[in-house]
Amino acid sequence: MVPSRLDPALVRKSAIIVAGIALIEALVLIVFHSIFVPPVLQHLERVPFFAWPAAVLVAVAYIWYAAYGLPTVRRLLFTVAPVAVLGLVIAVPSSILEEIFFRQGLMNAQRSWPILAQIGYSAILFGIAHGIWGIRGGWRSVAGAVGSTTGLGLALGALFVVAGRVVLPCILAHFLINLILEPWLVYAYAERASAPSYV
């Protein structure tokens, strides 16, 4: 049953979008499992204790920021609905794939650069990759999506460094964000896509 505050048509559209993204990312993980899976549990002994609460802090801060900035997400964040389970469907593959690519892959590939340049490079590419979520709202929304996810990328890049360049704390933070936010971010995207466009 869909709670009355949710539009069933938008729930269906959100489910299709999330399932499609999760399927693509899961297929990439399966096909390239030798690249993406082994790093997840490597070198955990190097992670200082404070990196774990820092990962949770990054997740909570970004969830609060997204809820503060997006009225639809703020309104629905604590809604109990079957569509919320989609957060789990996408959180596992996306957190592993994106963190190993953007943090461990890109930052380690540029290890000769200064730390701040590594973090900034990874964060900017991460933000650009997420700009698609603003397309339905025009250039202002694209800039907002790129800016907010670049900010998240900066936080995750810093977390990667303080975690001794071990990626699992970043995966944890990204997992929590997607678990809690993703169904409602996609619902907000579907809502914008269904609205009349005057641009």
Side-chain angles (χ1 to χ4, degrees):
M1 181 174 171
V2 176
S4 58
R5 68 173 84 182
L6 295 173
D7 180 329
L10 294 180
V11 167
R12 281 192 298 276
K13 188 180 282 189
S14 301
I16 291 167
I17 292 169
V18 170
I21 295 169
L23 179 62
I24 291 167
E25 291 184 331
L27 286 173
V28 171
L29 281 179
I30 291 166
V31 172
F32 300 103
H33 67 277
S34 61
I35 296 171
F36 289 104
V37 176
V40 173
L41 298 176
Q42 286 179 343
H43 309 297
L44 292 183
E45 72 282 355
R46 292 199 324 228
V47 180
F49 174 78
F50 66 83
W52 301 108
V56 174
L57 181 62
V58 167
V60 169
Y62 191 76
I63 291 165
W64 176 85
Y65 169 79
Y68 177 80
L70 298 168
T72 297
V73 173
R74 183 169 60 248
R75 176 172 55 90
L76 298 174
L77 189 59
F78 299 108
T79 301
V80 177
V83 70
V85 174
L86 293 173
L88 183 59
V89 170
I90 198 166
V92 173
S94 65
S95 60
I96 295 171
L97 187 68
E98 294 182 24
E99 289 311 309
I100 288 176
F101 179 78
F102 286 103
R103 250 54 67 186
Q104 183 167 304
L106 291 181
M107 288 180 64
N108 282 347
Q110 308 305 333
R111 207 160 181 168
S112 61
W113 294 7
I115 292 289
L116 292 179
Q118 294 174 37
I119 293 171
Y121 171 70
S122 167
I124 290 167
L125 293 179
F126 183 72
I128 291 169
H130 287 81
I132 191 169
W133 291 112
I135 284 176
R136 292 292 187 166
W139 286 109
R140 189 172 177 190
S141 291
V142 171
V146 170
S148 65
T149 50
T150 296
L152 174 59
L154 291 170
L156 290 168
L159 178 61
F160 180 65
V161 172
V162 301
R165 302 185 84 92
V166 177
V167 78
L168 191 58
C170 299
I171 291 173
L172 172 64
H174 201 144
F175 173 84
L176 292 173
I177 290 165
N178 283 4
L179 178 68
I180 294 166
L181 277 184
E182 198 76 14
W184 312 124
L185 289 171
V186 174
Y187 185 91
Y189 173 82
E191 191 175 59
R192 280 196 310 272
S194 301
S197 176
Y198 302 103
V199 179

